[in-house]
């Protein structure tokens, strides 16, 4: 498998667990995998539980599950907030 062709979604919203978003994102990128931060809307700056910011690359409606090889959901309070968006739930189901 050519990792440089792989693409992964990392979901983001307010109060994500900083290390659970950034550590996998940075490690995957080190291996040549494309990681997109996907949130409610494109270009929004979200802050983690410890204040580390993350800017979304895309909104839920802008990405297609078929274009990605995986999906990450960081902990913190972000999953509780993400489950409130039907577009996010549909994306997770489609990737699954």
């Amino acid at each position: 498998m050519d990792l440089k062709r792989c693409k992964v979604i990392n979901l983001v919203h307010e109060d994500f667990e900083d290390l659970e978003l950034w550590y996998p994102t940075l490690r995957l990128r080190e291996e040549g995998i494309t990681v997109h931060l996907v949130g409610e809307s494109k270009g929004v700056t979200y802050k983690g539980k410890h204040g580390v910011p993350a800017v979304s690359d895309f909104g839920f409606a802008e990405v297609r599950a078929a274009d990605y090889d995986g999906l990450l959901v960081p902990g913190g309070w972000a999953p509780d907030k993400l489950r409130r968006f039907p577009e996010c739930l549909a994306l997770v189901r489609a990737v699954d």
Side-chain angles (χ1 to χ4, degrees), residues 2 4 7 11 13 18 21 23 25 34 42 52 55 58 64 69 74 76 80 86-88:
D2 183 6
K4 292 185 181 11
K7 290 171 56 176
L11 296 176
H13 208 284
D18 303 58
L21 180 118
Y23 189 77
T25 296
T34 300
K42 178 181 181 175
V52 178
V55 178
F58 297 101
R64 290 176 355 126
D69 302 295
D80 186 51
E87 302 91 351
C88 181

Side-chain angles (χ1 to χ4, degrees), residues 43-59:
V44 175
T45 300
Y46 298 98
K47 289 207 174 154
K49 286 174 57 178
H50 304 286
V52 178
V55 178
S56 56
D57 299 309
F58 297 101

Side-chain angles (χ1 to χ4, degrees), residues 3 11 14 16 30 37-38 41 56 79 84:
L3 294 179
L11 296 176
E14 291 295 328
F16 58 86
E30 285 175 354
L37 301 181
V38 179
S41 300
S56 56
R84 300 174 190 186

Side-chain angles (χ1 to χ4, degrees), residues 57-79:
D57 299 309
F58 297 101
F60 305 131
E62 297 176 277
V63 295
R64 290 176 355 126
D67 295 336
Y68 290 88
D69 302 295
L71 179 132
L72 300 169
V73 182
W77 289 107

